[in-house]
Amino acid sequence: MSIIPSFFTGRKSNVFDPFSLDIWDPFQGISTALGNLPESSRETTAIANARIDWKETPEAHVFKADLPGLKKEEVKVEVEEGGVLQISGERSSEQEEKNDKWHRVERSSGKFLRRFRLPENAIMDQVTATMENGVLTVCVPKEEEKKPVVKAIDISG
């Protein structure tokens, strides 16, 4: 049963079709609207799809990015002056064949770029990056916190 009747959405649902859209989707039409944008504007839509977690451990800042389907050669990790970590790359779209009939295109393609300003305790010249199973891990070591030296003073008297 549909939440919104099909005469509001303009779509026909079919009980026997498992891929039938019989539930209202508030984001329906966004991909169509993006399809009408110029190519340069569409490329920036992939920026939001580069999901990155940033955690801080006692030893380092660790970034993990989900980049499924990308090879390490398609991803670039750079450190800029001023303590900025930049992760970028490009996911190519699949080539269409004349006889292909696409039913749905949800995987994003295009360029992505994420930048992070690192804290002053980051050691910028020791950054490492690894990629395994579509997950990019960037490790930025931290300087050790200098603990105050406490010296015991003997009390005379």
Side-chain angles (χ1 to χ4, degrees):
M1 178 171 191
S2 173
I3 295 174
I4 304 295
S6 62
F7 59 85
F8 284 127
T9 62
R11 296 180 291 192
K12 300 209 187 261
S13 62
N14 181 347
V15 178
F16 302 107
D17 181 4
F19 299 107
S20 171
L21 299 173
D22 59 347
I23 297 178
W24 179 63
D25 181 5
F27 301 107
Q28 188 237 349
I30 289 179
S31 61
T32 305
L34 292 175
N36 294 333
L37 293 173
E39 184 67 29
S40 59
S41 299
R42 269 185 273 153
E43 287 179 354
T44 60
T45 61
I47 291 174
N49 293 329
R51 308 271 190 224
I52 299 178
D53 295 336
W54 176 2
K55 74 175 178 179
E56 182 175 357
T57 68
E59 298 82 28
H61 296 276
V62 180
F63 297 83
K64 289 196 175 213
D66 288 338
L67 304 172
L70 289 181
K71 300 177 187 120
K72 66 181 184 177
E73 296 81 18
E74 298 171 317
V75 179
K76 187 186 292 186
V77 178
E78 299 172 306
V79 177
E80 298 177 356
E81 285 186 37
V84 176
L85 173 70
Q86 179 171 300
I87 300 171
S88 62
E90 184 170 4
R91 178 176 288 124
S92 302
S93 60
E94 288 194 32
Q95 299 298 320
E96 290 186 33
E97 299 292 329
K98 289 185 178 184
N99 296 332
D100 290 347
K101 179 180 178 184
W102 291 81
H103 291 279
R104 185 180 286 294
V105 177
E106 293 183 345
R107 298 184 310 149
S108 64
S109 62
K111 297 177 184 177
F112 64 90
L113 170 72
R114 297 292 306 273
R115 299 178 80 196
F116 301 92
R117 181 165 307 281
L118 297 171
E120 290 185 20
N121 66 351
I123 304 173
M124 303 301 287
D125 59 346
Q126 295 180 12
V127 175
T128 60
T130 58
M131 186 130 170
E132 187 175 333
N133 296 328
V135 178
L136 173 70
T137 303
V138 178
C139 183
V140 182
K142 294 175 12 180
E143 294 176 354
E144 288 186 34
E145 288 186 32
K146 295 187 169 87
K147 296 179 182 173
V149 177
V150 178
K151 181 180 176 186
I153 307 295
D154 289 333
I155 301 174
S156 62

